[in-house]
Structure formats: structure tokens, C-alpha cells
Amino acid sequence: MGNRLSAAGIKGAGGVRLRLPLYDLSRGEIILSLILWAVVGLFILYPLFFLILESFKIAGTDRFGIQNYLDFFRDSYYLKAFGNTLLLGVLVLATTTLVGLPAAYILARYRIRGKTVFTALTLLPIVLPAYAGAFAFIVFFGKWGTVNLLLMEWGIIDEPINFIYGLQGLIFIQSLHLLPFIVLSLLAGFTNIDPSLEEAAEVEGAGGIRRFFTITLPLATPSYFAGAVLVFLWPFTDWLTPIILGQVDYLPSIAYINIAYHFTDVYRKYMGIVSVVVAAVICVGMFLTLRRWIERKKYTALSKGTALEGRTITPGPLARLIAYLYMGFISALVLIIPVVLGLSAFSRRWVFEPFPTYWTLENFEVIFFETPQLLMNSFRFSGIALVFGVTFGLAVAYLLTRTRAPGKNALDFISTILLVFPGIAIGVSFLLAFWKTIPIATHWIIMPLALFVRRTPYFLRMAHASYLQLDPSLEEASEISGAGKLRTFFSISLPLLLKGIFVGVIMFFIMAFQEISTAVFLYRGGWETLPIGIYLNWHRGMEFGIAAAMAFFMVVLVFVLLLIAARIGGGILNVAWGAGGRRG
């Protein structure tokens, strides 16, 4: 066995990196690696090749060239949309940082009652469709919404105030939706700080504020940027929220409109495809730049390990009151979404009145009895995608953390890139690649396959984080005792990984269940999912109550699952989304 061993580092006593044996590749692992690369090649690289190739096709000809890109960057309208998207990314990042930093510190440091509920509510927007929040806030903050009607009824204002339509509304909705990325990343950063560093600062006389800005915040900065890059890039992927708010001069919105609605104007279709590619390149380029910077800036304390929950303190009465008020404020903003959707879902009409006055169950009768196919499709497609994602994610996590498989870094790179790759790019690339040459797009299986590719990173990060927390010496001892790799996995590894796997399953399912950016380009009659049903009901000008009932059902389902995930695997979530949650 000795000639098949290599070294793997794990943390031993005192936080010192130890070197333990790691097997070279067996025949089974070589086969597994080839299978995984085949999946990546067919469902990721192949479609993206078609997308890039199509972007170079000159409209009305059979020739290829860079004319489309030249036209794109010469056109003042597309440059304006590009600039608007950059500006929106900066403003959304600034807003989420200002709001998320205190919330993350409270959740990471303070011992307060209800922390699990506050955590679940703070994380809820990450798994709720942004468009559901847009609908709810339009009803609540719109020109003739609840707030304006109450203010006019009380005589405070004479004319409605535009709270939500425009750039300010777009920043507000996207910032609330993306807040969990900042909170999770900072939670991981604060939790991973060696308590002795802050304790040493206290001994030297540093007060709370000085200690925070000189010790705590700098050490958490790499983790912060791990989430910040995802927040900044979101405006390059979200096409629906701007459209709902009447703001179409943003890159992804232009791409969707040009591709989805201009069937006869071939030139505009290609401009839409170029917009998709430009947005994808920006996302990937920015992500790689920040990722490289983060890896250079990571801090490691060798003096002692940190506790799972990090350093926690009991706040004084004033700090406790401020913490409760602040977390209550954030929770109230988040709860506006399910409350408004719930009221709309159980009402027949809600027009020009602060609150609905006519109640009914007809909206739920529509989705459960008259159009149950939407619900069935959502569960079926998400469930099948989940099976694909768990199988693929576990295999990739194993290769990354337990083998020296050639090309594993490239596999890790591609899987991680999918986290920031625009959903619209995946949808369009699947449509182009699997329509004629490999006609999968004509069969319903294209839907779960697209969901699998789109949401796999959410499970993979959880599985990877779980493997990093599993001591390799346990598997080593099993194999030395004569157990094969397969038996070792099912008898040793899998039971110890179950917690992280369970959290990953929940995260994957709820993210796949609410996906629309990819699915909207691929669905055909009879394949509609619940999110597509919500969008179609709004888009066709039908009653909002039906769309609200669909969204409310989704909110309740997602919140229950997220509460379970936060309760069972909060530590796994922190490791998976922190700066250090990647390597193995």
C-alpha cells in the first residue's frame, strides 16, 4: 500500500496542519473522473460553445466575425445599459454591506434569544424569487399601495409618493434579496477568527469599536469579498426584477427582450445573445479576479483552533435592545413579502384599498385543483434535478478532497464558475445546443437537466464543506482494516457527511424549485413550473391573487425548509459560503 500513498493536510491539536496519507487514484476513481468530465463536457462546455459561436454569427449571412461585438460597443444604447448595470451593482453592494454588516456581527457575536429564527428570516430572501419580492413590495409600497393609501387616508400626503418604481426601488428589492450573501460571508469570517486575537486586543486596552475596525473587520474581509462579488454581479444576471419595475435599460433585461420577443428582427436577436455573453464574461472575470485576491489575503491563525460558533459575548442591556430592534427591523422588511403575498392569496380583489376586504380560497383551488400541473412539474423537475445534483456533487466533492485526480482543479473551477454564471446564459445556451444536433430540448427532460446545471453549485459547496470537516484518518483506518473504498464510503464517510448533505439537499431543492431565468427559455406547453406560472399570470395581466397564491405557497415551503437547514446545519452554511469554504 505504501507506494500508493500521498500526503493530505488536516488540523491536529493546536490547529497545526498535519500530513496524513491520501491514496493515489484507483481504477474506479479514474472511471469516476472520466464520467464526471463527460457530464461537464456534454451539459456545460458543449452548450457554452454553441452560445459563444452563435454570438459571432453575422445576422442574415452564413459568415462569422466580430461585427456583432463591434456594433454592441459602438451603440450608445447598449453602452448606457452596460453602465447602468455597473452602477446598479455598486449601489446594491454598498446597500447590502451597510445593512448586512451589523446583522452579521449580531448573529455571530451576541448571545440573544431567537437567534435561529432571526437567522432563518435574514437568510430567507436568498431562496425566495426576487420577482416575488417585487410583486409584494409593489402592492405594499406602490403609488396606490398600502403605505400611500394609509398616508393619504391619515391626511399626511395629498398625492402618492413614488417609493418603488425607479432606481431606488430596484436597489431596495435587489439589496434585500442579496442581503443573505453578505450576512453568510461575514458570519463565516467572524466565526473563523481565532478568539485569542480579539482577547489579546482587549488585554492591550483596545475598546469595542477600535478592536472591531483594527482586528475583527480586517480578518473577516476575505470572507466578506467572497459574498460581495456575488452581490455585485447579481444585476448582470437579473432580468425580471427591472422589467417588473419598468426599468429595462439594463444588460440582462435587454438580452431577454431581444431574444424572447424579436423573432423577426434577427439583428436584435444577435444583439441579445451578445449581451448575454458580455454579461457572462463580466461575471466570470470579476469572480476570478476577486477569488484570486481572496486566496492571497486569507488569514490563518496557528495558535489554536476556533470553536464551531466562534467567540460569543453576552451583550449589555442597551446593546441587547439595539440588537433586537435592528434584527426586528430586518425581519419586518423580509416578512412584508410573505404577509402581503398571503393577504393577496386569500383575497379575491385588492385594488385601491389599504387592505383586502373580500376573502376567498378560490386562488388556491385554481393552483391545487384546476391547474395542478404547475405544482406537479415543479416537484418533478426539481426532484429529478436534485438526484442528478446530489450524485454529481458528492462525486466531485470526493475527487476534490480525497484524490489527486488530474484536472480536478479545472473541475473545481468549472463547478464554482456556475455559481455566478447568469441563468439566462444557461437557458439560451441549452436552447441553442440541444435543439437540432442533440434534440433534447424537444423533451421534458431538458427542464431538470437545466435546473441541475444551474443549481449544482449550491449542493456542491455544502458537500465540499462537509468533506473538509471530515477527518481523513477515519477513512484511512477503515481502508487499512481491509474495507474497500465503496464500503468505507457507505459505512464511514456517508454517515458523517449526512448533516452537510441534508443541508445541501435542502438548499439545492429550494433553489431549483424557484428557478425561472433558465427555465423560461426552455419550457413548452405542459412543462410550466410554479415560477413560470407566477410570471405568466403577471405578464398576461390576469388576477394577481392567483399569482400571489402560487408565490405564497412557495414562500411557506421555502421558509420551513430553510428553518430546518439553519437549525441543523448553520455551521455547514458558514463554512460553505465563507472564503475558506472551497479548498481541499
Side-chain angles (χ1 to χ4, degrees):
M1 185 183 300
N3 60 347
R4 298 184 62 247
L5 299 180
S6 59
I10 66 167
K11 280 188 177 180
V16 179
R17 300 294 290 189
L18 302 178
R19 308 296 291 179
L20 286 181
L22 189 68
Y23 287 111
D24 287 339
L25 284 179
S26 66
R27 179 179 299 177
E29 289 167 345
I30 293 175
I31 295 175
L32 177 62
S33 180
L34 292 175
I35 292 174
L36 293 178
W37 271 109
V39 172
V40 169
L42 179 60
F43 295 113
I44 299 177
L45 301 181
Y46 175 73
L48 293 183
F49 169 77
F50 264 82
L51 175 66
I52 295 173
L53 184 66
E54 192 74 8
S55 71
F56 286 101
K57 189 173 182 179
I58 300 176
T61 71
D62 293 328
R63 296 182 292 106
F64 293 87
I66 62 171
Q67 189 60 44
N68 293 335
Y69 288 92
L70 294 177
D71 291 346
F72 177 89
F73 286 105
R74 288 171 179 169
D75 193 312
S76 60
Y77 176 67
Y78 291 111
L79 287 179
K80 175 187 175 182
F82 183 76
N84 289 344
T85 311
L86 280 174
L87 176 62
L88 181 61
V90 172
L91 294 176
V92 169
L93 177 58
T95 305
T96 53
T97 300
L98 291 175
V99 177
L101 182 58
Y105 188 83
I106 291 170
L107 294 176
R109 287 287 188 265
Y110 286 0
R111 296 190 190 99
I112 57 175
R113 293 183 180 274
K115 183 182 290 190
T116 299
V117 175
F118 283 138
T119 301
L121 286 173
T122 305
L123 300 185
L124 181 61
I126 196 178
V127 291
L128 287 182
Y131 53 85
F135 292 142
F137 286 120
I138 285 174
V139 173
F140 195 74
F141 289 114
K143 285 189 175 181
W144 298 103
T146 298
V147 173
N148 271 311
L149 289 174
L150 288 175
L151 292 176
M152 287 189 290
E153 185 178 302
W154 296 336
I156 298 176
I157 60 174
D158 296 323
E159 296 291 333
I161 300 173
N162 180 19
F163 290 111
I164 204 73
Y165 288 102
L167 179 61
Q168 74 277 10
L170 194 53
I171 294 172
F172 170 65
I173 291 174
Q174 290 195 347
S175 296
L176 187 63
H177 177 67
L178 297 168
L179 181 64
F181 283 112
I182 295 296
V183 173
L184 274 174
S185 298
L186 285 171
L187 266 174
F190 293 146
T191 302
N192 291 334
I193 294 174
D194 190 331
S196 64
L197 298 175
E198 294 178 312
E199 292 166 1
E202 287 181 352
V203 171
E204 294 296 325
I209 296 178
R210 182 181 177 188
R211 184 178 66 249
F212 176 79
F213 283 104
T214 58
I215 302 296
T216 307
L217 190 58
L219 292 175
T221 298
S223 291
Y224 161 74
F225 278 109
V229 65
L230 300 178
V231 173
F232 176 77
L233 295 177
W234 175 257
F236 286 90
T237 68
D238 182 17
W239 56 270
L240 184 51
T241 307
I243 289 178
I244 293 174
L245 297 180
Q247 305 292 305
V248 297
D249 293 340
Y250 295 92
L251 213 54
S253 301
I254 289 175
Y256 172 76
I257 292 172
N258 282 4
I259 295 172
Y261 291 99
H262 294 282
F263 304 103
T264 56
D265 191 338
V266 179
Y267 176 77
R268 291 194 65 173
K269 184 192 79 169
Y270 282 111
M271 285 294 97
I273 293 175
V274 169
S275 299
V276 171
V277 175
V278 170
V281 169
I282 293 293
C283 288
V284 172
M286 183 65 69
F287 180 77
L288 293 180
T289 302
L290 263 295
R291 177 177 170 179
R292 185 173 181 180
W293 181 87
I294 289 168
E295 290 176 348
R296 292 204 312 265
K297 293 291 183 179
K298 280 194 296 187
Y299 298 88
T300 302
L302 298 178
S303 60
K304 58 188 260 187
T306 59
L308 179 61
E309 71 278 7
R311 181 175 187 255
T312 57
I313 59 176
T314 301
L318 180 59
R320 183 185 298 272
L321 176 61
I322 294 175
Y324 276 120
L325 289 175
Y326 192 80
M327 296 310 302
F329 171 72
I330 293 178
S331 299
L333 287 179
V334 173
L335 285 174
I336 287 176
I337 300 175
V339 168
V340 171
L341 292 177
L343 292 174
S344 301
F346 288 99
S347 65
R348 181 61 181 169
R349 55 182 175 269
W350 187 356
V351 181
F352 297 115
E353 53 185 0
F355 302 101
T357 55
Y358 181 81
W359 306 99
T360 181
L361 293 175
E362 292 180 6
N363 298 323
F364 289 97
E365 292 176 0
V366 170
I367 63 176
F368 286 120
F369 300 108
E370 296 182 22
T371 58
Q373 192 67 33
L374 298 178
L375 201 56
M376 293 171 58
N377 284 343
S378 291
F379 279 106
R380 180 174 58 156
F381 295 157
S382 299
I384 295 174
L386 177 62
V387 174
F388 294 156
V390 170
T391 305
F392 180 82
L394 278 177
V396 172
Y398 172 79
L399 283 184
L400 294 180
T401 57
R402 295 296 187 266
T403 74
R404 298 190 304 173
K408 75 170 188 176
N409 290 333
L411 191 63
D412 179 29
F413 169 80
I414 294 172
S415 301
T416 305
I417 283 300
L418 290 176
L419 190 65
V420 296
F421 211 77
I424 189 172
I426 295 175
V428 173
S429 64
F430 264 55
L431 187 63
L432 294 172
F434 297 123
W435 187 255
K436 292 183 180 180
T437 309
I438 305 178
I440 304 177
T442 58
H443 302 280
W444 63 266
I445 194 64
I446 193 68
M447 297 290 282
L449 285 173
L451 294 179
F452 152 65
V453 171
R454 174 78 169 123
R455 296 309 186 185
T456 285
Y458 287 88
F459 176 81
L460 179 56
R461 289 181 74 93
M462 301 299 173
H464 194 192
S466 299
Y467 258 114
L468 291 177
Q469 294 183 330
L470 175 60
D471 191 336
S473 64
L474 300 175
E475 299 164 309
E476 176 74 15
S478 174
E479 295 186 27
I480 290 176
S481 299
K485 290 185 178 295
L486 197 60
R487 183 181 176 186
T488 296
F489 174 78
F490 283 104
S491 60
I492 303 295
S493 306
L494 186 59
L496 296 174
L497 294 171
L498 277 180
K499 178 177 165 181
I501 291 174
F502 182 68
V503 176
V505 165
I506 291 176
M507 292 298 294
F508 183 103
F509 180 81
I510 55 185
M511 296 304 292
F513 197 85
Q514 58 92 37
E515 171 62 27
I516 188 173
S517 295
T518 298
V520 74
F521 290 96
L522 300 172
Y523 83 93
R524 303 175 71 180
W527 300 355
E528 296 91 345
T529 59
L530 208 59
I532 293 175
I534 296 171
Y535 172 65
L536 292 178
N537 273 279
W538 167 79
H539 189 61
R540 294 169 181 169
M542 300 174 68
E543 292 188 56
F544 179 68
I546 298 175
M550 295 177 180
F552 182 70
F553 174 82
M554 188 184 303
V555 167
V556 173
L557 175 66
V558 163
F559 181 71
V560 172
L561 292 175
L562 186 61
L563 192 62
I564 295 172
R567 182 71 176 177
I568 293 177
I572 296 293
L573 285 169
N574 290 347
V575 173
W577 292 100
R582 176 191 158 269
R583 295 263 70 87

